[in-house]
Amino acid sequence: MLLTDRPEGESAQRLASYGSLVEIEGELDLALAAVVDDPLGFDLFVMDCDAFGGMAGAHRAVSALVAAEARMRVMLVSRDFDVPAYPMGRRTAVCLPDPVSEAGFRRGYDHVLRDRVAMTLM
């Protein structure tokens, strides 16, 4: 799930170029509801934070996901972040400054999904 106000923006293009199936939502509450209500679950929640309250909006989104016991990886992109953060905990978000280079975004993507088990639907 990508929460963004730029459906054709860099985050969407980059995720698609990595082979991700990207569902894009432009409203915070709808994105969170979709993630929480999806029976198969999403592997990754990416949020372009600036249009949704910056770090405060990111905190609200992550808190809602934790409260709903959603078990997915989270990547946040915002101009509020000075430097990238690649935490080791699975329940902590990768945080990337905006703008972020292609290499930096890819590093965040690879890091956040580092221990993901690939699933194949038959």
Side-chain angles (χ1 to χ4, degrees):
M1 170 63 72
L2 170 61
L3 174 60
T4 186
D5 65 328
R6 300 171 285 168
E8 302 294 326
E10 284 186 340
S11 293
Q13 291 177 18
R14 289 172 174 170
L15 291 167
S17 75
Y18 304 155
S20 297
L21 178 60
V22 183
E23 186 168 326
I24 298 173
E25 182 53 63
E27 294 186 36
L28 179 61
D29 292 333
L30 293 177
L32 295 175
V35 167
V36 170
D37 294 340
D38 185 81
L40 292 176
F42 289 84
D43 288 329
L44 178 62
F45 178 76
V46 178
M47 181 176 177
D48 286 333
C49 304
D50 296 331
F52 304 97
M55 289 175 64
H59 180 31
R60 177 177 170 227
V62 171
S63 294
L65 293 172
V66 170
E69 298 182 8
R71 301 200 180 272
M72 77 202 31
R73 288 119 181 116
V74 175
M75 192 163 72
L76 306 171
V77 181
S78 175
R79 64 179 168 261
D80 291 340
F81 303 124
D82 294 326
V83 295
Y86 307 103
M88 293 308 293
R90 286 187 61 207
R91 301 283 292 171
T92 55
V94 166
C95 300
L96 302 174
D98 189 19
V100 61
S101 68
E102 168 64 35
F105 192 93
R106 182 62 195 231
R107 179 173 180 212
Y109 176 84
D110 289 341
H111 183 80
V112 78
L113 294 175
R114 69 193 175 281
D115 59 354
R116 179 179 151 253
V117 177
M119 289 181 55
T120 304
L121 298 176
M122 303 264 188

